[in-house]
Amino acid sequence: MILPSFELHRPSSLAEAIDLVRGFEARGESYDFLSGGTDLLANYKCKINVKRHVVSLRHLPELLGISRDSIGAGELLWRIAESQEIHESFPALAKAAEWVASPLIRESATIGGNLLQDTRCYHYNQTYWWRVAHESCLKAEADVCRVVPGEKTCVATYCGDLAPVLLCMGASVRLVGPDGSRDVPLSAFYIDEGIQRFVKKPSEILSEVRIPTEARRRKVAYRKLRLRQSIDFPDAGIAFAAELSGSRIVNCWIASTAVGSAALLHPDVAQKAMGRDLGEPLAGELAAALVASARPYRNTFFAPGYRKEMLGVLLRRAMAEVGGFEPAPSQSAAG
Amino acid sequence: MTDERKTNSFQIVGKNAALVDAWKKVTGEGLYTDDFRIAGLLTGKIVRSTRAHARIVKVDTSRALAMEGVRAVVTGLDPGAGVKFGVLPISKDETALAVDRVKYVGDCVAAVAADDEETATAAAESIEVEYEDLEPCLDPRKALQPQSVPLQTKSPDGTNLHKAVDQAFGDVEAAFQASAAVSGGRYEFAPVTHAFTEPHCVIAHFEPDGRLVVISAQQVPHYLHRAMAEVMQMPMHRIRIVRPMVGGGFGGKSDPFPHEMVAALLARRAGRPVKINFDREDVFLTNHGRHPTQYDIRIGMASDGAITGLDAKALIDGGAWGSFGVVTTYYNGVLSQGPYKIPNFRYSGRRVYTNKPPSGAMRGHGSVNARFAIESELDRLCEQLGLDPFDVRKKNALAPNSTTVNQFRITSTGLVECLDRTRAASQWDRKFRRMPYGRGIGLGCGFYISGSALPIHFDFHPDPKYGQIPQSTVHVKIDLDAGVTVHSLAADTGQGSDTMLAQCVAEPLGIPLSRVRVRTEDTDLAPIDLGSYSSRVTFMAGNAARNAAIAALEKLQIAAARLTGRPAQSFIARDEKLIDVTDPAVAVSFDAAVREAMRGTGALQATGSYQSPRLGGSFKGANAGLSPSYSFQAFVAEVEVDPETGAVRVTDVWAAHDCGRALNPVVVQGQIEGSVHMGLGQALSEDMRYLKGQVLNANLLDYKVFTSVDTPRIHSIVVESIDPEGPFGAKECGEGALAPVIPAVANAIYDAVGVRLTSVPMTAEKILAGIRKVGRGAKPKLPAGAAR
């Protein structure tokens, strides 16, 4: 497979990148941003939504830097996984970064790219020939969904590992575009639709992830389901965070990934935990409520029913880690 | 020459040796097919069918032909493109390109050659094929019914049946009547594929004089040579096959393939060399992987654990072509004749065509699926009768120098040693049925041919009424540099056969491997060897190499005699010298002996060959599964099952494999580890999924081959039964070690959580459903007879 032709631009500053975007917008030319390339270029090889221009963000100094308050969008996943500061302050985030894909991919992929990772589907992440043979899908060339016949919205799955953890940490993202910059809380960033995906405008660049100081008070855990312990995207993922007073939950957050088109907080489920003791009875109750609300589609490796059920197991294990009340019986699949 | 099989005083054999091509591989200097650079080389691309079953109404190539940089376009109407070929002469049903009908999504319809990949891809995409859809047959059960349009036009009864095999020995029903217990069930196998590292790649090139050179990633250059001659309608001597380094085959590069023919057709039309290098998706669509199978089995057992009979029925999904399928249909039955004594046996196998990518040979060909069924049922019987799984297998083990009811000749067997050593190493008696809920241990045994005694082509048949050409021939050349060149067509596909040949030549000549160079890549230079399939290379090419070296040694002994006045027979070769055994002070250096031997004759040449003995009975199908020797295995797997998720983690595998003498122990260990890894994939994760006949996961992200992180600790136990006919006592080690790991894991899962799975892959979903059915905490009880 070869990359289709596109014009590659390599600006050396954020301002220069935005200038390029202004030009494309003015001329009505299509473009994409490129960071690690592990997501975008794989899709390009399949001739998925290829644009005329590609703007590399690789060398923008404004997108670098790791601290307790902010992580540059261009930071590589392995650097986040190995950062002492992140390890000490937000171990669940370090772990989630360490669990992404494989070592090779983590050496190229970035946190910004992980948050903006394209949604995935058996009917979409295929070669051009495959899609022609299969009459394509809503997210690529066709106007119908192959997962849910008759569906006019896309149900492709968002499979990022970092988003649920950052959602539980109350993080926001900074978006910089031709019209200036804005901060959007991650909780208001994603859209649960496989094509729209998020509120970022095409012309905006996600420049950094901002972490509020209150995140330091939260105990966070992340659990994911996947067949292999490397390479695989999550087939389901749950982050759980709590502010505790003793074993009593003062506040808590639950976020899921890989069971819908977005990483999402589940405030209705988390609400049930306020003021309660963090322990197995509560975990079972929340797990049941979460499972009841989930609706994964048949477009990843494991069957939807299994993924739905595993959400409960993942939540109970994440809560157990935060509460220290029951060691997970096994790390084998739901690690 | 004394029979050195009985000695242990080897200098080369039995010692760990780095593969002779290892440095080239690790430095990147080695050339694989894609690395060849030839002036004017074009890129070829295949246009693949988007339909599972359809008549081709029209192929419009006009837009492609009009594109700048396009040098050739071929369709099924090109001369040769419709010539039927196939690896088995009895089942030739493939063509280079579809002539009037496509038979699966991915079938080759047309092809282009262009200056570069971008142009070739664009040109291939511009070719418009008009189809008239036909009803596809995707379910093998329906393939046995009459079809509106059968896949093969020659179908005698209008169904998609390809091959039927029915065999019976003794009286199975009567044996079952008299048995203490009979157990059986239906076992189901998802399609799995080889997933070798290097995708198929071929270069076809017509030399200025019109001779065709084909460079291809192949396991069997000779069969490609024959098929290429038929398709291109050229005599074999006008074709040269080159087999460069190959990045794994596992059976997936052992057929002559349409893309190889297409490259030659394109090269002929373009008048320029053409390369076709597959994407991973092409590899999945070419497939030839293990047959998806439904396997019904019953086994009877006497109260003392003796197996009374085995009754099996296989429905084998062949996909669109025949490939090795006739052999597969036999092997699914006949290879169940080992490693145990089966006094009464009945087998009925049906291989059918379906509108899917063809199935073919894959590591452990024909034995793997049956083994899962048999070893699982044996454990069930042990449980019913209160017997220990190890004791029962040991009791039933085929004896050395015995004959099975279907007249397989068993010579060496190390099965009992395999069982004893895995039992001890795995601490079986402390663990079986005794570990906490969720942890389990299980046993599985295996049996495999060490080369098929029956050649595919009658030219190589040992019977005087056929060709009697040896199945392996090796030439040894020794010139004034006193280096030894070994010529053979045995294909090193990464398994280390070049190194094996070097060892088998170096040992009799008493020289280090550094004096030996192996040339196996070129049909112009190499005498015919039937290639790397059926686990035949060590046994057959190894014997041929040893025989060639002994023939060369005789010339050196005569030279040494001339130089010393001692009798030629008194010289042995050791330490780069020919030494008089009667007086070790009398010795001639290897170099001096070579020089003397060349006097008046020039460079020395010697030939060695191997032909299987005539074996087996005279009933129909008696030849299937015959081998000059067999390998044996006993594996134990230990697992942890997560009862909440159903996920299974294999922590350890103790893998005892009887390979006769281990010529190169570290390579044997590598083969065992690779087999275990590959078997675990079929056991737990690998599954080619289909959507209306279209492969859904034709990539290595969605087709789940285990990573190094998922791979358990593998404790290789090399058992050396020392075969009476193998080279230095060696037999196969590349394939037999795959099958046992699947039932070992299944039996371990049962031990862990009481769930008996009868289909692979054994996914977390299936295990969880099983746990729900039998109840959490349902750990099986220790059999009464197993207490020690």
Side-chain angles (χ1 to χ4, degrees):
Chain A
M1 282 163 92
I2 47 164
L3 272 176
S5 298
F6 53 80
E7 200 174 322
L8 179 66
H9 304 268
R10 286 191 276 192
S12 55
S13 71
L14 192 52
E16 199 184 318
I18 298 296
D19 278 347
L20 281 166
V21 166
R22 276 199 193 93
F24 302 146
E25 291 276 341
R27 295 192 296 276
E29 293 169 355
S30 68
Y31 58 94
D32 263 327
F33 296 115
L34 170 73
S35 192
T38 55
D39 189 35
L40 187 80
L41 297 183
N43 282 353
Y44 268 33
K45 282 189 170 180
C46 291
K47 300 191 184 170
I48 290 174
N49 299 329
V50 177
K51 307 286 167 46
R52 177 170 169 186
H53 299 277
V54 171
V55 181
S56 170
L57 308 178
R58 196 59 174 225
H59 304 286
L60 306 190
E62 296 90 337
L63 269 56
L64 297 178
I66 298 178
S67 76
R68 283 198 298 176
D69 306 311
S70 161
I71 301 174
E75 285 294 346
L76 302 176
L77 294 179
W78 76 267
R79 282 177 54 88
I80 295 165
E82 293 190 2
S83 153
Q84 182 135 5
E85 192 141 24
I86 299 298
H87 250 290
E88 282 166 8
S89 306
F90 313 112
L93 182 62
K95 203 152 256 182
E98 193 191 317
W99 287 351
V100 174
S102 64
L104 211 61
I105 288 173
R106 294 194 294 273
E107 293 210 7
S108 188
T110 61
I111 184 171
N114 193 266
L115 291 175
L116 299 176
Q117 186 173 294
D118 198 3
T119 50
R120 303 187 61 81
C121 178
Y122 263 149
H123 303 258
Y124 172 69
N125 296 98
Q126 298 284 359
T127 65
Y128 178 69
W129 170 83
W130 196 98
R131 298 198 306 278
V132 168
H134 192 55
E135 297 171 328
S136 197
C137 83
L138 195 62
K139 192 167 157 67
E141 295 87 359
D143 55 6
V144 282
C145 176
R146 302 290 167 196
V147 182
V148 190
E151 185 65 62
K152 290 288 179 190
T153 58
C154 174
V155 299
T157 304
Y158 173 78
C159 305
D161 281 302
L162 302 192
V165 177
L166 290 166
L167 276 166
C168 282
M169 288 163 59
S172 57
V173 288
R174 176 156 295 175
L175 305 174
V176 184
D179 304 326
S181 81
R182 57 179 178 140
D183 286 358
V184 179
L186 216 45
S187 57
F189 181 71
Y190 288 106
I191 298 170
D192 194 7
E193 200 279 333
I195 296 170
Q196 291 184 65
R197 304 191 283 142
F198 36 65
V199 301
K200 185 184 89 66
K201 293 179 206 152
S203 61
E204 288 177 315
I205 293 169
L206 194 163
S207 66
E208 66 177 283
V209 178
R210 302 187 60 80
I211 303 168
T213 50
E214 55 266 32
R216 297 175 210 169
R217 293 200 301 271
R218 300 179 189 174
K219 285 183 79 176
V220 192
Y222 176 60
R223 284 285 183 278
K224 71 194 275 191
L225 171 73
R226 57 175 167 176
L227 182 81
R228 295 177 291 187
Q229 296 308 295
S230 184
I231 298 179
D232 287 342
F233 286 103
D235 255 52
I238 286 291
F240 175 78
E243 280 175 28
L244 297 170
S245 167
S247 66
R248 198 175 62 84
I249 293 174
V250 178
N251 208 344
C252 82
W253 297 263
I254 297 165
S256 63
T257 188
V259 282
S261 294
L264 291 174
L265 282 168
H266 297 270
D268 296 352
V269 181
Q271 187 60 38
K272 298 178 195 296
M274 301 304 173
R276 309 257 310 263
D277 259 6
L278 179 52
E280 180 53 49
L282 177 67
E285 196 182 311
L286 296 199
L290 182 68
V291 168
S293 71
R295 197 171 158 234
Y297 290 96
R298 188 175 294 279
N299 61 359
T300 67
F301 183 79
F302 285 114
Y306 181 74
R307 287 159 67 206
K308 186 175 156 88
E309 189 182 346
M310 286 307 104
L311 279 180
V313 177
L314 298 172
L315 177 59
R316 282 181 36 241
R317 289 181 181 180
M319 290 176 73
E321 183 186 323
V322 168
F325 58 83
E326 175 220 61
S330 165
Q331 297 284 316
S332 40
Chain B
M1 188 87 197
T2 54
D3 186 356
E4 81 288 71
R5 286 189 185 91
K6 296 195 169 59
T7 79
N8 282 306
S9 60
F10 297 115
Q11 292 195 298
I12 301 289
V13 158
K15 310 278 191 290
N16 286 337
L19 296 183
V20 293
D21 52 6
W23 280 110
K24 281 193 173 171
K25 282 184 176 165
V26 298
T27 57
E29 203 184 290
L31 296 180
Y32 293 79
T33 305
D34 189 37
D35 297 320
F36 281 70
R37 297 286 173 266
I38 299 172
L41 187 63
L42 301 173
T43 300
K45 282 279 170 197
I46 291 172
V47 178
R48 294 188 178 277
S49 167
T50 55
R51 309 301 173 92
H53 198 190
R55 266 186 235 295
I56 299 172
V57 178
K58 192 178 158 200
V59 182
D60 184 354
T61 60
S62 57
R63 285 203 296 154
L65 283 165
M67 288 172 77
E68 197 178 330
V70 172
R71 304 295 172 185
V73 177
V74 292
T75 70
L77 301 176
D78 262 56
V83 172
K84 295 250 169 109
F85 67 91
V87 68
L88 302 183
I90 46 171
S91 172
K92 289 182 188 175
D93 56 16
E94 305 191 34
T95 54
L97 293 165
V99 179
D100 53 4
R101 188 154 58 116
V102 290
K103 292 174 180 167
Y104 70 96
V105 180
D107 206 350
C108 305
V109 180
V112 301
D115 290 349
D116 53 63
E117 190 174 355
E118 204 172 354
T119 310
T121 305
E125 285 170 6
S126 79
I127 290 176
E128 285 175 39
V129 186
E130 194 184 316
Y131 295 105
E132 180 191 314
D133 282 320
L134 298 167
E135 195 185 336
C137 176
L138 302 172
D139 181 348
R141 282 162 297 203
K142 291 187 182 146
L144 286 170
Q145 299 158 8
Q147 307 289 307
S148 53
V149 184
L151 261 125
Q152 292 301 323
T153 40
K154 279 193 276 184
S155 170
D157 55 358
T159 72
N160 279 342
L161 177 68
H162 171 219
K163 177 70 187 173
V165 171
D166 292 284
Q167 287 191 335
F169 302 95
D171 187 339
V172 167
E173 292 302 339
F176 286 171
Q177 287 288 323
S179 295
V182 177
S183 180
R186 169 162 293 179
Y187 288 77
E188 287 175 302
F189 301 84
V192 292
T193 198
H194 321 82
F196 36 72
T197 310
E198 178 207 21
H200 303 88
C201 186
V202 61
I203 295 171
H205 174 208
F206 282 86
E207 289 182 329
D209 69 349
R211 194 159 181 255
L212 172 61
V213 181
V214 178
I215 306 169
S216 192
Q218 256 291 346
Q219 294 174 237
V220 188
H222 178 62
Y223 296 164
L224 173 61
H225 201 176
R226 297 175 88 110
M228 187 63 75
E230 289 176 29
V231 170
M232 299 306 287
Q233 291 149 41
M234 293 169 71
M236 277 176 76
H237 65 263
R238 297 293 291 159
I239 299 171
R240 173 183 164 210
I241 307 291
V242 176
R243 189 266 323 151
M245 282 188 175
V246 175
F250 311 109
K253 292 172 181 167
S254 56
D255 291 60
F257 286 104
H259 69 271
E260 295 171 315
M261 312 303 164
V262 167
L265 293 170
L266 284 169
R268 186 166 65 189
R269 193 159 273 272
R272 282 172 59 177
V274 173
K275 179 201 284 182
I276 296 177
N277 192 14
F278 273 2
D279 289 331
R280 186 56 63 176
E281 184 176 68
D282 294 310
V283 177
F284 276 92
L285 296 173
T286 302
N287 189 29
H288 289 70
R290 198 175 318 286
H291 289 67
T293 300
Q294 176 185 294
Y295 203 84
D296 294 330
I297 191 165
R298 286 188 302 157
I299 301 179
M301 193 174 274
S303 56
D304 64 353
I307 296 170
T308 57
L310 187 156
D311 185 20
K313 205 170 162 184
L315 178 60
I316 301 164
D317 185 351
W321 305 120
S323 182
F324 280 93
V326 172
V327 180
T328 316
T329 316
Y330 276 111
Y331 277 9
N332 264 274
V334 299
L335 293 185
S336 304
Q337 280 291 333
Y340 311 118
K341 289 185 286 267
I342 313 278
N344 299 284
F345 174 84
R346 184 166 63 190
Y347 169 67
S348 164
R350 298 288 180 274
R351 184 187 192 264
V352 294
Y353 292 112
T354 56
N355 292 94
K356 286 183 278 191
S359 307
M362 180 169 159
R363 199 177 201 173
H365 181 200
S367 77
V368 174
N369 294 351
R371 280 259 67 78
F372 173 47
I374 293 167
E375 299 293 321
S376 298
E377 289 303 327
L378 284 182
D379 261 34
R380 270 184 167 157
L381 286 162
C382 288
E383 187 164 40
Q384 281 182 39
L385 296 173
L387 301 167
D388 176 79
F390 265 94
D391 294 345
V392 163
R393 284 166 173 89
K394 202 165 164 178
K395 179 181 180 62
N396 288 287
L398 285 170
N401 304 311
S402 61
T403 308
T404 66
V405 287
N406 65 341
Q407 298 187 39
F408 287 171
R409 182 195 69 163
I410 306 301
T411 53
S412 61
T413 161
L415 180 62
V416 168
E417 187 181 339
C418 288
L419 284 163
D420 288 345
R421 287 176 67 182
T422 39
R423 183 173 201 148
S426 65
Q427 300 187 295
W428 174 268
D429 295 295
R430 272 187 34 208
K431 292 176 180 169
F432 181 63
R433 302 286 191 260
R434 288 181 163 99
M435 286 193 286
Y437 180 73
R439 291 183 58 196
I441 194 165
L443 168 66
C445 291
F447 168 80
Y448 204 64
I449 56 172
S450 191
S452 171
L454 175 73
I456 285 172
H457 293 271
F458 283 119
D459 288 346
F460 304 96
H461 201 288
D463 193 291
K465 67 177 185 251
Y466 302 114
Q468 290 188 306
I469 300 170
Q471 290 151 311
S472 285
T473 302
V474 169
H475 289 169
V476 161
K477 187 208 84 170
I478 312 176
D479 214 329
L480 204 53
D481 65 342
V484 178
T485 309
V486 182
H487 293 285
S488 159
L489 203 56
D492 197 322
T493 57
Q495 86 281 37
S497 62
D498 278 0
T499 310
M500 180 279 297
L501 291 173
Q503 288 184 294
C504 288
V505 167
E507 182 68 48
L509 291 174
I511 54 174
L513 292 176
S514 58
R515 277 201 195 244
V516 185
R517 51 263 170 150
V518 184
R519 292 286 173 270
T520 53
E521 69 277 11
D522 192 335
T523 55
D524 277 4
L525 302 174
I528 290 172
D529 178 280
L530 297 186
S532 297
Y533 69 100
S534 86
S535 263
R536 57 176 296 288
V537 177
T538 293
F539 203 95
M540 298 188 178
N543 263 324
R546 176 178 163 272
N547 291 340
I550 291 168
L553 175 63
E554 283 166 8
K555 296 173 195 261
L556 298 176
Q557 286 170 316
I558 292 165
R562 279 208 299 266
L563 289 171
T564 59
R566 304 288 179 103
Q569 309 89 289
S570 67
F571 285 95
I572 58 159
R574 265 189 101 75
D575 301 321
E576 302 181 78
K577 287 196 274 283
L578 282 99
I579 302 166
D580 185 343
V581 278
T582 63
D583 179 5
V586 179
V588 176
S589 77
F590 185 77
D591 295 55
V594 167
R595 213 169 251 278
E596 176 61 25
M598 287 176 66
R599 199 182 284 274
T601 67
L604 307 186
Q605 18 178 358
T607 298
S609 62
Y610 179 80
Q611 177 69 288
S612 290
R614 291 170 68 187
L615 298 165
S618 53
F619 54 90
K620 182 171 163 53
N623 287 321
L626 291 178
S627 175
S629 190
Y630 298 88
S631 70
F632 294 83
Q633 302 81 27
F635 285 15
V636 168
E638 188 171 332
V639 303
E640 287 173 11
V641 177
D642 183 332
E644 277 192 305
T645 65
V648 52
R649 190 167 79 85
V650 182
T651 61
D652 294 87
V653 174
W654 291 269
H657 175 95
D658 163 28
C659 64
R661 186 179 305 280
L663 299 179
N664 194 348
V666 72
V667 172
V668 172
Q669 188 184 335
Q671 286 295 327
I672 293 173
E673 289 175 4
S675 296
V676 167
H677 170 267
M678 206 165 193
L680 287 174
Q682 186 178 359
L684 297 171
S685 62
E686 294 183 36
D687 175 5
M688 274 173 77
R689 295 180 174 188
Y690 285 92
L691 203 65
K692 297 179 195 157
Q694 185 168 358
V695 187
L696 187 61
N697 51 349
N699 62 72
L700 292 179
L701 177 62
D702 297 317
Y703 180 85
K704 312 278 186 188
V705 177
F706 266 14
T707 71
S708 56
V709 187
D710 308 299
T711 305
R713 288 181 291 267
I714 300 168
H715 314 270
S716 300
I717 300 168
V718 180
V719 170
E720 300 183 88
S721 63
I722 312 300
D723 190 80
E725 295 176 19
F728 309 97
K731 43 191 188 180
E732 80 91 27
C733 72
E735 298 195 68
L738 190 148
V741 76
I742 302 172
V745 168
N747 288 335
I749 290 170
Y750 181 75
D751 187 40
V753 290
V755 174
R756 172 65 63 191
L757 290 178
T758 54
S759 72
V760 286
M762 297 179 275
T763 60
E765 289 144 295
K766 289 181 194 169
I767 295 171
L768 192 60
I771 289 172
R772 203 151 283 154
K773 209 164 149 196
V774 302
R776 182 86 72 89
K779 176 99 182 162
K781 302 279 180 296
L782 193 69
R788 288 185 176 230

